[in-house]
């Protein structure tokens, strides 16, 4: 395997970010190219088709499916209101009359003379897409959405839960190793996104929810605490739609792990700025990692940028080279950061007796260790 | 024509890596000679599967010294040290073939539809049936939400119910689902139900979907006819799914035969080997996200996929399903459950990492046992005789559980278990793979175990559709690594009681006779290809497949691990006491010389 290399999580103090904001179904884009937008601005909207309800009219009226049309009071495509008669029999004696009422307000979609069922559809549900980041609309895809560009600090987490949110960034941890306590939190942090240290426990998350903190950025979390928060054991890492009123971004992994020095330093340097964060994670098929975007404001107080169009897109990293900083992502040195000292080409036998390609990593204290190459990831800028 | 191929290159485009193998005709036989691997490039930023294929070819070129490419063009035909005669491929990239099936009755036509889809290599995302207890609007929401690659609709025997299947068609039409890939195209729907309902189905679905009509997959209650539906699924897989996946249009012009979904190809080779030797086979492919189980019993092929049991992406789901105590019970060392849980979650979020510590390796092997066990349980419950068919039953059958009564998987009749997938194929010691498979599958009587050496079953499966001789030759000589026979008890008893007396006459006329106590495991050295005569006599309370106390004699073949006598009983039970548990596991690991700390 000449390509055994794990791309790392992105971390950049200042870069141009292009954020696609697309509708789930075609609809209307309500901003124009060149517009400056704020994170909470709506950029596009559409209507999702309403829920479908079925009503077996023939069973209710005691008629044959082929005769259904002659008993219907309304036809396909017509509007109906809840409890409005939809179909009825016309017996000689009124007492024997049967009526079928609409269970919803909506439209009649189909009337089937094969099955005798009538499908009714609820009115469409409006869906709005917000800008999510302060920035400039640089591209408009008609009926689909927009691309917003912004100059910002960009940090990827390894795992997150909860959806998109924005808030002022507040550093609560004293250091990247710190473990904050519930008593460290106060009402001043309401509506903010806080940075904790190497671990948050369930009590801290609960207190954050009580106060109204919008998001937590932390090095590690225990599996048990995630399970308690969600109410179930997370089986597959596809997240972002949890209804938990807070967004959690884990930068390193499960267990107590210090936030990487550079990540913590960059977050500290942006304290007080408005951050847009998303916990959405999907490890498989089109990897999505949680992200922290902290736009810069220009002199006029308007976020974003004036000429994002010409900014080159970052080139993909080609691999790990000697001298590169790397993060170790598996025991026994999990979470430690070092530099690549050597990249031996020959395969080596490790403790498990597996024969694998390895990497020699040197830690800041001068200690060197041999690690399987697949157990390190590049620290990308 | 078919034997004129002398150099064949085959790829499997998996969700993570693209694996290429070179097969060459050496003298009169086909052999697999070189292997190359590169990351799959279906997703951003490449979004072109052919880039990963070319990278894997580049590695093959480097290793073999054969020039395969002229720029981005495959050189054909082969000539000395350049080119190949044939290029074939399978694919499971981008999540494979994802389907939804619908049928009138859940345990009858819907189940037949499910088996048709699974056999064609699909992942079945959901099964909609008239009697599945969901309300109509819930079914419609589900169809719209899941966005499958295609839907297979069945229902009614020929001349039977029309209403139910048309009702299902109405739900599909109301949902108006969009396909996962190529959102501007119509979703392919295959109708394989009551032929009397075809016209009505057309009325409901033709304008809203890309409708295909094929033969009824359950024309009579007593008969399934799954092949026409499977063939249609594979045609649509190429025409719709592959055609809209990034780069596949180009890849399809390169291959000498249609691209097959990976599991369908593995199914082909398992069927070919079962047919050739007239044996009952179970095959398993444990991947990062899913575990596929294949079986051929008395000529009947079944495949199931457990979409959320795997060793990386889905590793945490295995723990969620089985419980952490069922993982730690397989560990021979004291482990803090919270720490084990964190390690497992870290594997889930960093799926490409490998164990560096022996303890980590043992945790992965513990999870693999449970993933394999759960997937096999699921397979047994789905690989059943046709439901809805009236049949006579004797008194003993009446007392058995329903699942057991109907499953086609008879462990006493199983001849061969083949394991595939990283955790089995790349286990540092082959005995580890054998141990995992015995613990998970719990074979009964006499069973051979083998592993796929370097994961080439998909390649050979698609090759078998063009050149069966080449495929089976390579399968037997280069693909399968025989681990050895396992002789197991079929019942349980008292720990430490005398249970088997055995006598073995080895190939070199050497003899060995011993007594085995209940709860013990013996691993006897019997090299690959060497035969031995065995005679095992269970004591009167124990059974080796011929009945309690009944002697078993057989000729067994060796393997890289040897001959295993498993006297731990069935079902395999492990002590509830943590200390005793660790002692038991440690003893069994030692019997297998499974790890460096046990040998």
């Amino acid at each position: 395997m000449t390509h055994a290399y794990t791309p790392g999580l992105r971390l950049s103090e200042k870069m141009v970010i292009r954020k696609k904001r697309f509708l789930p179904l075609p609809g209307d884009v309500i901003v124009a190219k060149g517009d400056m937008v704020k994170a909470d601005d709506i950029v596009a909207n559409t209507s999702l088709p309403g829920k479908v309800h079925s009503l077996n009219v023939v069973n209710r009226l005691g008629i044959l499916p082929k005769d259904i049309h002659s008993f219907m009071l309304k036809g396909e495509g017509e509007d109906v209101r809840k409890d409005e008669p939809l179909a009825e029999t016309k017996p000689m004696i009124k007492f024997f009359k049967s009526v079928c009422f609409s269970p919803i307000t909506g439209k009649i979609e189909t009337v089937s003379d094969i099955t005798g069922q009538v499908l009714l559809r609820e009115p469409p549900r409006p869906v709005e897409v917000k800008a999510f980041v302060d920035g400039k609309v640089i591209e408009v895809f008609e009926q689909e959405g927009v691309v917003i560009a912004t100059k910002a600090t960009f940090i990827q987490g390894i795992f997150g839960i909860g959806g998109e949110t924005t808030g002022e960034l507040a550093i609560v941890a004293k250091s990247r190793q710190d473990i904050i306590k519930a008593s460290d939190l106060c009402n001043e942090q309401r509506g903010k996104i806080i940075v904790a240290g190497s671990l948050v426990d369930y009590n801290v998350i609960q207190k954050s929810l009580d106060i109204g903190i919008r998001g937590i950025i932390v090095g590690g979390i225990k599996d048990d605490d995630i399970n308690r928060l969600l109410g179930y054991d997370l089986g597959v890492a596809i997240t972002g739609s949890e209804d938990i009123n807070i967004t959690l971004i884990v930068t390193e992994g499960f267990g107590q792990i210090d936030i990487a020095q550079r990540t913590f330093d960059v977050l500290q340097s942006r304290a007080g700025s408005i951050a847009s964060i998303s916990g959405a994670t999907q490890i498989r098929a089109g990897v999505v990692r949680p992200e922290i975007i902290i736009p810069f404001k220009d002199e006029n107080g308007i976020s974003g940028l004036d000429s994002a169009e010409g900014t080159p897109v970052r080139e993909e990293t080609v691999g790990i080279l000697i001298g590169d900083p790397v993060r170790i992502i598996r025991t026994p040195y999990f979470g430690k950061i070092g530099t690549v000292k050597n990249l031996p080409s020959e395969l080596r036998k490790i403790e498990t007796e597996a024969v694998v390609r390895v990497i020699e990593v040197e830690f800041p204290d001068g200690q060197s260790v041999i690690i399987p190459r697949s157990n390190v990831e590049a620290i990308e800028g | 024509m078919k034997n004129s191929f002398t150099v064949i290159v085959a790829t499997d485009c998996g969700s993570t890596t693209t694996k290429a193998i070179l097969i060459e005709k050496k003298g009169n036989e086909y052999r697999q000679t070189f292997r190359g691997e590169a990351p799959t490039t279906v997703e951003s930023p490449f979004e072109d599967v052919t880039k990963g294929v070319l990278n894997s070819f580049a590695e093959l070129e480097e290793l073999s010294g054969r020039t395969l490419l002229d720029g981005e063009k495959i050189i054909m035909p082969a000539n000395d040290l350049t080119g190949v005669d044939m290029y074939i491929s399978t694919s499971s990239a981008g999540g494979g073939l994802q389907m939804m099936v619908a049928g009138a009755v859940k345990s009858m036509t819907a189940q037949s539809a499910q088996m048709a889809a699974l056999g064609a290599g699909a992942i079945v995302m959901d099964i909609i049936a008239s009697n599945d207890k969901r309300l109509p609007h819930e079914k419609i929401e589900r169809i719209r939400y899941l966005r499958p690659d295609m839907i297979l609709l069945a229902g009614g025997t020929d001349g039977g119910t029309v209403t139910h299947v048309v009702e299902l068609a109405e739900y599909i039409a109301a949902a108006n689902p969009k396909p996962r890939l190529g959102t501007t195209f119509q979703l392919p729907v295959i109708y394989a139900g009551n032929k009397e309902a075809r016209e009505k189905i057309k009325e409901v679905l033709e304008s809203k979907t890309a409708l295909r009509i094929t033969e009824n997959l359950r024309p009579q209650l007593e008969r399934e006819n799954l092949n026409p539906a499977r063939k249609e699924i594979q045609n649509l897989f190429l025409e719709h799914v592959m055609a809209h996946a990034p780069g596949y249009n180009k890849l399809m012009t390169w291959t000498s035969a249609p691209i097959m979904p990976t599991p369908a190809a593995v199914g082909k080779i398992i069927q070919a080997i079962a047919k050739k030797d007239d044996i009952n086979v179970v095959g398993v492919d444990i991947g990062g996200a899913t575990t596929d189980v294949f079986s051929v019993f008395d000529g009947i092929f079944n495949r199931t996929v457990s979409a959320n049991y795997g060793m990386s992406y889905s590793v945490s789901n295995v723990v969620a399903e089985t419980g952490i105590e069922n993982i730690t019970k397989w560990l021979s060392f004291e482990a803090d459950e919270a720490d084990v849980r964190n390690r497992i979650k870290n594997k889930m979020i960093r799926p490409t990492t490998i164990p560096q510590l022996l303890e980590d390796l043992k945790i992965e092997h513990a999870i693999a046992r449970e993933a394999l066990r759960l997937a096999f349980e699921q397979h047994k419950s789905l690989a059943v005789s046709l439901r809805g068919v009236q049949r006579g039953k004797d008194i003993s059958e009446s007392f058995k559980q329903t699942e057991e009564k109907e499953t086609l998987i008879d462990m006493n009749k199983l001849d061969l278990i083949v394991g595939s997938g990283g955790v089995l194929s790349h286990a540092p010691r082959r005995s580890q793979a054998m141990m995992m498979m015995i613990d998970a599958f719990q074979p009964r009587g006499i069973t051979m175990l083998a592993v796929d050496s370097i994961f080439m079953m998909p390649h050979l499966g698609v090759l078998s559709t063009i050149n069966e001789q080449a495929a089976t030759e390579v399968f037997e000589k280069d693909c399968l690594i025989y681990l050895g026979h396992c002789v197991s008890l079929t019942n349980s008893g008292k720990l430490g009681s005398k249970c088997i007396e055995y006598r073995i006459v080895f190939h070199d006329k050497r003899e060995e006779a011993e007594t085995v106590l209940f709860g013990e495991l013996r691993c006897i050295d019997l090299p690959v290809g060497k035969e031995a005569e065995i005679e095992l006599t269970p004591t009167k309370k124990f059974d080796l497949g011929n009945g309690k106390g009944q002697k078993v004699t057989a000729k067994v073949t060796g393997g890289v691990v040897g001959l295993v006598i498993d006297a731990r009983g069935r079902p395999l039970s492990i002590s509830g006491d943590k200390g005793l548990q660790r002692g038991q596991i440690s003893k069994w690991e030692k019997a297998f010389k499974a790890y460096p700390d046990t040998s």
Side-chain angles (χ1 to χ4, degrees):
Chain A
M1 265 282 279
T2 52
H3 304 269
Y5 150 69
T6 308
L9 301 172
R10 301 281 310 280
L11 190 162
S12 180
E13 278 182 79
K14 195 170 194 175
M15 68 180 287
V16 173
I17 292 159
R18 289 176 170 78
K19 200 78 202 140
K20 280 187 180 173
R21 306 296 293 164
F22 275 54
L23 290 162
L25 284 175
D28 300 317
V29 175
I30 58 170
V31 289
K33 188 174 172 179
D35 285 358
M36 300 302 291
V37 289
K38 305 288 277 178
D40 284 336
D41 291 349
I42 292 159
V43 293
N45 58 31
T46 189
S47 299
L48 286 181
K51 266 188 184 171
V52 175
H53 295 254
S54 84
L55 189 65
N56 202 313
V57 170
V58 293
N59 282 357
R60 299 218 182 168
L61 299 186
I63 57 170
L64 291 170
K66 66 181 174 58
D67 302 326
I68 188 168
H69 289 287
S70 57
F71 292 91
M72 289 297 293
L73 299 172
K74 296 216 163 190
E76 286 179 5
E78 285 191 68
D79 291 331
V80 286
R81 290 222 308 277
K82 191 172 189 298
D83 297 330
E84 187 182 342
L86 273 184
E88 62 180 24
T89 54
K90 298 171 186 91
M92 299 291 282
I93 306 161
K94 253 190 169 178
F95 180 76
F96 294 111
K97 182 170 154 177
S98 304
V99 185
C100 200
F101 300 99
S102 171
I104 59 151
T105 296
K107 254 191 171 58
I108 297 179
E109 181 138 316
T110 57
V111 178
S112 172
D113 55 14
I114 303 159
T115 60
Q117 68 177 353
V118 172
L119 296 181
L120 303 149
R121 196 179 284 276
E122 287 182 8
R125 281 175 293 153
V127 177
E128 292 169 338
V129 173
K130 290 183 176 178
F132 180 52
V133 290
D134 295 359
K136 181 180 182 180
V137 178
I138 58 159
E139 212 172 347
V140 172
F141 293 84
E142 218 175 305
Q143 296 189 330
E144 291 182 69
V146 297
V147 179
I148 296 163
T150 186
K151 262 183 205 152
T153 296
F154 181 72
I155 301 169
Q156 275 184 327
I158 186 71
F159 171 77
I161 49 173
E164 295 174 345
T165 189
T166 53
E168 186 190 318
L169 195 67
I171 315 293
V172 176
K174 294 178 193 72
S175 68
R176 66 193 188 97
Q177 297 92 351
D178 195 16
I179 300 176
I180 65 166
K181 297 184 282 296
S183 58
D184 294 330
L185 304 176
C186 60
N187 280 331
E188 263 180 40
Q189 286 139 358
R190 182 190 304 277
K192 292 185 181 175
I193 291 164
I194 63 164
V195 177
S198 56
L199 186 75
V200 281
D201 65 20
Y202 182 72
N203 293 333
V204 171
I205 300 171
Q206 267 309 327
K207 179 84 181 282
S208 302
L209 280 164
D210 293 345
I211 290 173
I213 287 171
R214 290 194 185 161
I216 303 174
I217 299 164
V218 68
I221 186 164
K222 287 183 180 162
D223 164 73
D224 275 351
D225 290 332
I226 286 268
N227 294 348
R228 274 182 82 188
L229 180 65
L230 295 176
Y232 56 89
D233 194 349
L234 191 76
V236 183
I238 298 173
T239 66
S241 57
E242 299 75 19
D243 191 11
I244 50 170
N245 294 322
I246 196 162
T247 297
L248 189 75
I249 295 185
V250 178
T251 62
E252 314 298 320
F254 286 88
Q256 183 194 336
I257 315 163
D258 304 344
I259 298 185
Q261 184 73 54
R262 196 165 157 234
T263 310
F264 192 75
D265 291 346
V266 170
L267 286 168
Q268 247 181 344
S269 72
R270 298 303 317 272
S273 306
I274 300 296
S276 298
I277 65 169
S278 167
T281 309
Q282 183 178 313
I283 311 291
R284 200 184 170 210
V287 180
V288 175
R289 294 284 186 192
E291 53 192 27
I292 304 160
I293 300 169
I294 317 167
F296 287 93
K297 287 187 173 181
D298 65 18
E299 317 71 76
N300 303 322
I302 304 167
S303 300
L305 70 168
D306 295 328
S307 58
E309 292 91 337
T311 316
V313 177
R314 186 187 74 106
E315 283 188 13
E316 283 305 307
T317 315
V318 288
I320 293 175
L321 303 171
I322 289 172
D324 281 355
V326 288
R327 175 192 271 114
I328 294 166
I329 54 175
R330 183 127 188 181
T331 48
Y333 304 101
F334 186 40
K336 290 187 98 171
I337 308 259
T339 50
V340 180
K341 190 175 175 188
N342 197 7
L343 290 161
S345 56
E346 74 280 9
L347 303 174
R348 295 262 186 99
K349 192 186 254 193
I350 56 172
E351 184 186 311
T352 59
E353 294 184 334
V355 180
V356 296
R357 195 156 280 204
V358 296
I359 186 168
E360 189 176 358
V361 177
E362 187 172 24
F363 297 131
D365 62 5
Q367 185 199 1
S368 283
V369 292
I370 298 286
I371 309 276
R373 213 174 277 194
S374 51
N375 289 359
V376 300
E377 69 182 15
I379 294 179
E380 308 207 358
Chain B
M1 176 68 186
K2 80 169 191 181
N3 288 326
S4 64
F5 302 119
T6 55
V7 186
I8 301 162
V9 65
T11 53
D12 171 55
C13 307
S15 38
T16 318
T17 52
T18 297
K19 289 137 291 212
I21 60 166
L22 196 66
I23 294 168
E24 294 175 88
K25 196 168 186 181
K26 303 267 181 194
N28 283 329
E29 59 175 16
Y30 287 95
R31 300 299 298 257
Q32 184 268 326
T33 48
F34 296 95
R35 180 178 191 270
E37 192 170 305
T40 297
T41 50
V42 167
E43 285 157 9
S44 163
F46 308 103
E47 291 179 354
D48 181 354
V49 71
T50 60
K51 291 204 165 22
V53 170
L54 292 172
N55 287 341
S56 69
F57 283 176
E59 193 157 287
L60 267 189
E61 284 183 325
E62 212 175 290
L63 294 168
S64 66
R66 172 175 287 277
T67 309
L68 304 176
L69 299 167
D70 176 11
E72 286 199 355
K73 195 168 168 278
I74 303 170
I75 302 166
M76 280 191 196
N79 198 346
D80 290 334
L81 275 176
T82 58
V84 295
D85 294 308
M86 191 202 307
Y87 168 51
I88 47 177
S89 188
T90 58
S91 173
S92 60
L97 169 61
Q98 301 185 7
M99 285 184 69
M100 191 165 209
V101 301
V105 183
K106 198 171 181 191
S107 61
M108 289 192 260
T109 43
Q111 186 168 306
S112 296
Q114 184 190 9
M115 296 319 290
L118 287 167
I123 287 173
V124 176
M125 303 164 90
D126 201 354
I127 304 154
I128 305 280
S130 300
N131 66 337
D132 67 10
K133 295 185 180 158
R134 282 178 284 193
L135 295 169
H137 75 269
E138 290 173 328
K139 292 176 191 172
I140 294 166
E141 281 295 303
R142 186 79 179 142
I143 297 167
R144 187 162 59 198
Y145 170 75
L146 283 180
R147 295 183 65 166
D149 290 320
M150 67 179 87
I151 295 177
L152 172 62
L153 171 63
T157 51
D158 282 342
T161 176
V162 170
T163 321
H164 288 106
V165 72
V166 175
E167 193 176 86
L168 289 167
E170 285 171 358
Y171 297 153
I172 295 169
N176 197 14
K178 296 279 171 259
R180 189 168 58 104
L181 303 167
T183 47
T184 52
F185 298 88
Q186 287 185 319
L187 180 83
V189 175
I190 299 165
Y191 176 66
N194 182 358
K195 63 182 179 190
E196 311 291 326
R198 284 178 185 172
E199 285 311 309
K200 312 254 192 247
I201 295 289
K202 271 189 195 169
E203 275 173 40
V204 180
L205 288 176
E206 203 159 38
S207 63
K208 291 191 167 176
T209 63
L211 180 68
R212 292 283 179 92
I213 291 177
T214 185
E215 288 172 48
N216 191 351
L217 54 77
R218 193 84 182 258
Q220 297 159 11
L221 270 186
E222 300 76 15
R223 192 166 76 84
E224 273 182 342
N225 178 30
L226 305 181
N227 281 335
R230 279 184 182 155
K231 210 170 161 193
E232 203 56 56
I233 292 168
Q234 288 182 356
N235 288 341
L236 283 171
F237 173 71
L238 288 171
E239 288 170 32
H240 281 252
V241 186
M242 287 287 91
H244 297 141
Y248 278 87
N249 263 332
K250 203 197 302 181
L251 188 68
M252 282 193 281
T253 64
W254 292 1
T255 56
S256 317
I259 300 170
M260 277 178 102
T262 304
V266 177
K268 285 268 178 214
I269 194 73
I270 297 276
Q271 287 178 86
I273 206 74
K275 191 174 148 199
K276 184 178 159 285
D277 295 337
D278 191 21
I279 53 173
N280 295 325
V281 183
V282 164
V284 64
D285 175 17
I286 177 165
T290 61
T291 297
D292 281 72
V293 182
F294 306 84
S295 67
V296 182
F297 270 82
D298 299 326
I300 301 172
F301 169 68
N302 275 291
R303 173 216 168 214
T304 54
V305 55
S306 300
N308 279 324
Y309 299 146
M311 291 305 297
S312 60
Y313 304 104
S314 316
V315 68
S316 197
N317 199 57
V318 178
V319 184
E321 284 289 320
T322 191
I324 190 76
E325 60 290 345
N326 272 338
I327 302 292
T328 53
K329 77 176 183 189
W330 294 110
L331 299 178
S332 56
F333 58 92
E334 196 174 346
D336 171 36
E337 283 189 1
D339 176 53
V340 173
R341 294 187 75 106
N342 285 336
R343 287 191 201 203
I344 292 166
K345 281 278 195 301
N346 280 321
K347 171 81 179 181
M348 172 183 78
I349 57 174
R350 288 186 162 109
T352 54
T353 59
I354 60 165
Q356 182 175 358
L357 300 175
L358 196 55
E359 279 191 359
D360 256 8
L361 182 74
K362 288 183 178 181
I363 292 172
E364 289 210 356
H365 288 174
I367 300 165
R369 286 174 173 100
E370 287 301 300
L372 291 169
R373 181 184 66 79
L374 290 168
F376 193 46
E377 289 300 319
Q378 217 167 59
H379 183 83
K380 283 197 270 192
S381 68
L382 281 170
V384 292
S385 48
L386 293 185
R387 291 189 189 171
V389 179
Q390 292 215 338
R391 61 189 186 100
K393 55 182 178 181
D394 59 31
I395 291 176
S396 65
E397 274 187 309
S398 307
F399 288 101
K400 287 185 186 171
Q401 295 288 311
T402 314
E403 295 299 339
E404 201 177 334
K405 181 175 67 183
E406 291 179 341
T407 188
L408 297 170
I409 310 301
D410 183 347
M411 296 306 284
N412 286 321
K413 286 187 183 172
L414 177 59
D415 299 298
L416 173 67
I417 303 175
V418 184
S420 183
V423 73
L424 296 174
S425 296
H426 299 145
R429 293 188 186 189
R430 296 288 185 198
S431 55
Q432 293 162 1
M434 188 158 189
M435 195 175 65
M436 283 185 265
M437 288 203 282
I438 292 175
D439 290 348
F441 292 105
Q442 300 190 26
R444 295 168 186 223
I446 302 174
T447 318
M448 172 57 91
L449 288 99
V451 288
D452 176 357
S453 60
I454 53 165
F455 191 66
M456 62 168 114
M457 287 207 285
H459 311 75
L460 300 181
V462 67
L463 179 60
S464 74
T465 62
I466 302 162
N467 189 334
E468 196 162 334
Q469 180 209 345
T472 46
E473 270 180 26
V474 176
F475 185 73
E476 286 178 346
K477 293 187 180 114
D478 300 310
C479 173
L480 274 200
I481 304 241
Y482 288 100
L483 302 173
H485 268 111
C486 174
V487 187
S488 316
L489 285 175
T490 65
N491 65 341
S492 195
K494 196 179 157 209
L495 202 66
S497 59
K498 186 176 149 188
C499 76
I500 303 169
E501 279 181 349
Y502 72 81
R503 196 172 76 91
I504 304 170
V505 182
F506 292 94
H507 52 284
D508 54 7
K509 306 289 175 216
R510 187 168 46 91
E511 285 193 27
E512 184 179 310
E514 285 217 30
T515 301
V516 184
L517 305 181
F518 183 79
E520 278 188 338
L521 195 67
R522 296 277 172 95
C523 189
I524 298 151
D525 191 33
L526 184 61
V528 182
K530 300 291 181 198
E531 288 186 338
E533 303 277 350
I534 56 165
E535 187 183 289
L536 298 102
T537 314
T539 53
K540 64 181 179 183
K541 285 184 179 167
F542 291 98
D543 184 356
L544 280 164
N546 280 357
K548 283 183 183 172
Q550 296 302 307
K551 187 180 355 182
V552 169
T553 55
K555 190 179 267 183
V556 291
T557 318
V560 292
V561 179
L563 169 68
V564 172
I565 298 175
D566 183 355
R568 299 176 300 171
R570 299 289 183 261
L572 179 59
S573 81
I574 297 176
S575 169
D577 178 274
K578 297 262 178 204
L580 292 176
Q581 232 173 51
R582 287 196 289 274
Q584 267 180 320
I585 300 296
S586 178
K587 208 167 80 180
W588 296 338
E589 285 176 357
K590 278 195 180 103
F592 270 111
K593 296 190 184 77
Y595 298 101
D597 61 354
T598 55
S599 56

